[in-house]
């Protein structure tokens, strides 16, 4: 559908007229329900990122064309004596030497540099943070890797180094360095490496990891070694372990099966043991995702302190207390603030929204009686710093987008609307056995209500469907149904 991006060994081409942020968002709408602003932010960030890659590639092509043109001109106007004696230099300069009298200003002829803008996605679990990143990477046909920040530790300690995310991206690109340098890396659970106060020693799993990510995010050259599995070195090539590919990033990613010979030698296309790749991270887009549990309280505390007289109403009327009964407060209300428009409370929240929002006319009859606001929309760098992220890391992630918890109506839409919705998956699964499966609207509503009570977002829908259909999937195949 989108052929604007073509990744090759040498370059990545973009046909700008055929791909726009609106088209990227329309594609995300087919897989992700709601989260309108987050989809817009991510679409614009990805589009601008690959626009700058196209511009950098164009400048390289122009420089190469000028170099070839200069070489052809020198070959055309070359002197016969210079061709016969390649080391000969002209004794008389063709141009007068520059005068050293006076001071001339320094001139920088380097082209304009377009810096990349990494993205931070905030929101509870199961709302589509990683799904949006995967969907965009798939439609753009670029290498994509997902890494969990939880096992990351500072270099030299037990755990995974931060550089493993680039190694996984290189493995996903089949060790094509040019393609990997234009890929997307999604670092999930970024909130789990927040700075922690330790009684003794260093915080190797929090601030140490953030320090290690600084240069990788901003742009550096990493030396990635592609090593074969340690267990395969002492086994015979005729064993089953050497005949099947492996997805381990330490063993070269997805490798084709090895071919065994009678002499015991193997021949594979995987990289050798000592092969090293130099990968630049300047053009790699980093997308960070995290739930940031408890960040809402920090944001609301800052907002209430900045306005005299409005602290108590915000905390009492907008934030449900933990002692409220389940019937009076839904689980998703913990992340959403409801308030009436054109009130002092509304003006307070809208004052702190850090992005542009179109204002509605007070006389507009179609305006809702109550408005909803995600406290994470009001996030500022100071809030992230109070949560535990260091300022150097926050400054390298200029774009933030908050995702809201899914309501019961949104979960019903998740069941039916996306292209790969759960209902369509189960319908197809039963159709393979010659069984027609249908759901009524009240049944969908009950599934969404049950999943909402689990507190795991859209992931709870599959749990409910499995519990509901397990007995049917056991009895129905091969029966007379």
């Amino acid at each position: 559908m989108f052929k604007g991006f073509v990744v090759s060994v040498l370059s990545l081409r973009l046909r700008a007229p055929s791909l726009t942020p609106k088209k990227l968002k329309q594609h995300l709408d087919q897989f992700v329900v709601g989260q309108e602003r987050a989809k817009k932010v991510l679409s614009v960030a990805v589009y601008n990122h690959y626009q700058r890659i196209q511009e950098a590639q164009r400048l390289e092509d122009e420089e190469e064309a000028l170099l070839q043109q200069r070489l052809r001109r020198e070959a055309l106007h070359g002197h016969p004596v210079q061709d016969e004696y390649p080391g000969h230099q002209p004794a008389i300069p063709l141009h007068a030497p520059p005068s050293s009298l006076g001071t001339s200003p320094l001139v920088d002829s380097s082209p304009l540099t377009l810096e990349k803008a990494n993205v931070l996605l905030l929101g509870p679990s199961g709302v589509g943070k990683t799904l949006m990143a995967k969907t965009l990477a798939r439609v753009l046909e670029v290498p994509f890797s997902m890494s969990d920040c939880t096992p990351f530790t500072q270099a030299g300690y037990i755990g995974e180094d931060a550089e493993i995310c680039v190694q996984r991206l290189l493995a996903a690109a089949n060790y094509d360095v040019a393609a990997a340098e234009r890929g997307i890396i999604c670092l999930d659970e970024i909130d789990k490496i927040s700075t922690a106060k330790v009684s003794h020693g260093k915080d190797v799993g929090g601030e140490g990891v953030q320090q290690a990510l600084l240069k990788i995010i901003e742009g550096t050259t990493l030396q990635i070694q592609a090593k074969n599995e340690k267990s395969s070195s002492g086994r015979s090539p005729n064993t089953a372990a050497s005949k099947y590919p492996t997805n381990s990033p330490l063993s070269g990613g997805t490798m084709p099966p090895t071919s065994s010979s009678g002499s015991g030698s193997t021949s594979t296309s995987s990289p050798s043991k000592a092969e090293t790749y130099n990968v630049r991270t300047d053009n790699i887009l980093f997308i960070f995702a995290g739930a940031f549990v408890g960040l809402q309280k920090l944001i609301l505390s800052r907002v209430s302190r900045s306005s005299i007289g409005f602290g108590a109403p915000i905390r009492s009327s907008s934030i449900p207390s933990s002692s409220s009964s389940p019937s009076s407060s839904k689980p998703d209300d913990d992340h959403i603030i409801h308030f009436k428009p054109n009130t002092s409370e509304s003006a307070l929240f809208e004052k702190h929204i850090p992005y542009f929002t179109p204002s509605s006319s007070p006389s507009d009859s179609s305006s809702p009686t109550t408005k909803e606001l995600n406290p994470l929309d009001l996030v500022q760098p100071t809030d992230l710093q109070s949560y535990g992220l260091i300022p150097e890391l926050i400054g390298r992630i200029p774009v933030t987008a908050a995702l809201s918890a899914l309501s019961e109506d949104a979960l019903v839409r998740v069941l039916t609307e996306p292209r790969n919705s759960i209902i369509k998956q189960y319908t197809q699964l039963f159709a393979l056995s010659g069984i027609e499966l249908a759901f009524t609207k009240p049944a969908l509503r009950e599934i969404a209500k049950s999943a909402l009570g689990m507190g795991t977002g859209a992931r709870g829908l599959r749990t409910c469907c499995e519990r509901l259909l397990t007995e049917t999937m056991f009895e129905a195949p091969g029966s007379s149904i």
Side-chain angles (χ1 to χ4, degrees):
M1 180 178 180
F2 298 97
K3 300 300 182 182
F5 292 101
V6 179
V7 180
S8 62
V9 177
L10 297 178
S11 62
L12 180 144
R13 303 290 184 180
L14 171 65
R15 292 176 295 176
S18 63
L19 188 64
T20 61
K22 288 185 178 180
K23 291 186 177 181
L24 289 177
K25 182 185 176 299
Q26 290 173 2
H27 186 75
L28 285 176
D29 291 338
Q30 302 178 19
F31 296 89
V32 182
V33 173
Q35 320 297 354
E36 295 299 322
R37 182 177 180 272
K39 288 187 286 190
K40 290 181 180 180
V41 169
L42 196 58
S43 300
V44 171
V46 171
Y47 178 78
N48 291 340
H49 176 70
Y50 287 102
Q51 281 284 80
R52 60 181 291 272
I53 290 180
Q54 180 206 19
E55 179 65 15
Q57 185 64 45
R58 185 187 65 82
L59 293 177
E60 292 180 5
D61 294 343
E62 289 183 356
E63 185 178 354
E64 181 67 21
L66 292 176
L67 178 61
Q68 296 296 333
Q69 183 180 4
R70 183 173 61 84
L71 293 178
R72 289 194 300 267
R73 187 183 297 110
E74 291 178 355
L76 181 62
H77 299 86
H79 197 275
V81 176
Q82 297 182 15
D83 296 337
E84 186 176 356
Y85 302 97
H88 174 74
Q89 297 295 332
I92 302 177
L94 300 180
H95 303 282
S99 176
S100 59
L101 299 177
T103 58
S104 58
L106 296 177
V107 179
D108 187 2
S109 59
S110 59
L112 178 67
T113 302
L114 300 177
E115 300 291 341
K116 66 178 178 180
N118 301 308
V119 185
L120 173 62
L121 301 178
L122 307 92
S125 175
V127 295
K129 297 187 295 294
T130 57
L131 177 60
M132 288 194 293
K134 290 180 179 179
T135 303
L136 285 181
R138 183 172 63 251
V139 71
L140 298 177
E141 300 179 358
V142 297
F144 176 83
S145 72
M146 173 75 68
S147 296
D148 195 341
C149 294
T150 306
F152 284 179
T153 58
Q154 195 173 358
Y157 293 87
I158 297 177
E160 295 181 351
D161 294 344
E163 298 178 359
I164 194 67
C165 61
V166 183
Q167 186 170 347
R168 290 187 178 124
L169 180 66
L170 184 61
N174 199 17
Y175 287 87
D176 183 354
V177 177
E181 290 179 344
R182 293 164 172 82
I184 298 176
I185 294 179
C186 183
L187 296 178
D188 201 6
E189 306 294 344
I190 187 65
D191 55 317
K192 302 303 185 295
I193 61 172
S194 58
T195 303
K197 295 182 179 180
V198 294
S199 58
H200 61 279
K202 298 172 60 178
D203 184 15
V204 298
E207 185 175 354
V209 178
Q210 297 184 45
Q211 296 286 352
L213 286 173
L214 294 181
K215 281 297 180 183
I216 300 177
I217 298 172
E218 186 174 9
T220 186
T221 301
L222 299 177
Q223 290 186 348
I224 306 298
Q225 287 189 349
K227 299 179 180 179
N228 293 326
E229 287 183 312
K230 296 181 179 179
S231 59
S232 62
S233 59
R235 296 182 180 179
S236 170
N238 294 325
T239 59
S242 62
K243 292 184 179 181
Y244 295 96
T246 174
N247 287 326
S248 173
L250 300 179
S251 60
T254 304
M255 299 186 300
T258 62
S259 59
S260 303
S261 60
S263 60
S265 62
T266 59
S267 174
T268 69
S269 60
S270 61
S272 60
K273 184 175 182 180
E275 193 166 359
T276 303
Y277 297 87
N278 294 325
V279 182
R280 295 182 57 188
T281 62
D282 304 74
N283 293 327
I284 296 178
L285 179 64
F286 287 86
I287 300 176
F288 300 87
F292 288 91
V293 178
L295 183 60
Q296 297 93 342
K297 295 181 180 179
L298 297 176
I299 296 174
L300 293 175
S301 177
R302 171 181 58 83
V303 172
S304 62
R305 286 197 308 266
S306 62
S307 299
I308 300 176
F310 294 101
I314 295 177
R315 296 180 180 273
S316 60
S317 63
S318 299
I319 304 178
S321 61
S322 58
S323 60
S324 59
S325 61
S327 60
S328 61
S329 177
K330 298 180 181 180
D332 62 312
D333 288 339
D334 296 337
H335 306 281
I336 299 297
I337 296 177
H338 303 271
F339 57 90
K340 295 182 179 180
N342 302 324
T343 61
S344 59
E345 190 177 22
S346 172
L348 174 63
F349 287 127
E350 293 175 354
K351 172 185 175 182
H352 289 85
I353 294 179
Y355 54 88
F356 171 76
T357 55
S359 59
S360 57
S361 176
S363 60
D364 189 4
S365 59
S366 62
S367 60
T369 57
T370 60
K371 299 179 66 176
E372 296 182 353
L373 176 68
N374 185 3
L376 293 178
D377 286 331
L378 309 178
V379 67
Q380 293 287 352
T382 54
D383 302 322
L384 297 175
Q385 186 175 353
S386 300
Y387 192 85
L389 299 184
I390 60 177
E392 295 85 354
L393 181 63
I394 299 173
R396 288 167 170 81
I397 314 174
V399 182
T400 58
L403 287 82
S404 304
L406 298 176
S407 61
E408 183 177 320
D409 295 335
L411 289 176
V412 174
R413 295 177 56 194
V414 171
L415 282 172
T416 57
E417 292 185 7
R419 285 177 52 181
N420 56 344
S421 65
I422 297 178
I423 297 301
K424 295 178 182 178
Q425 294 179 30
Y426 281 103
T427 303
Q428 178 65 20
L429 189 62
F430 275 82
L432 297 177
S433 302
I435 302 172
E436 183 179 356
L437 179 66
F439 290 85
T440 61
K441 291 184 178 180
L444 296 178
R445 180 68 61 175
E446 288 298 323
I447 294 175
K449 185 182 299 183
S450 178
L452 184 63
M454 295 182 179
T456 57
R459 294 186 177 96
L461 295 174
R462 182 168 293 276
T463 302
C464 296
C465 291
E466 286 292 334
R467 294 176 179 177
L468 180 65
L469 298 175
T470 297
E471 189 68 22
T472 305
M473 289 187 290
F474 177 81
E475 297 289 346
S479 63
S480 57
I481 298 179

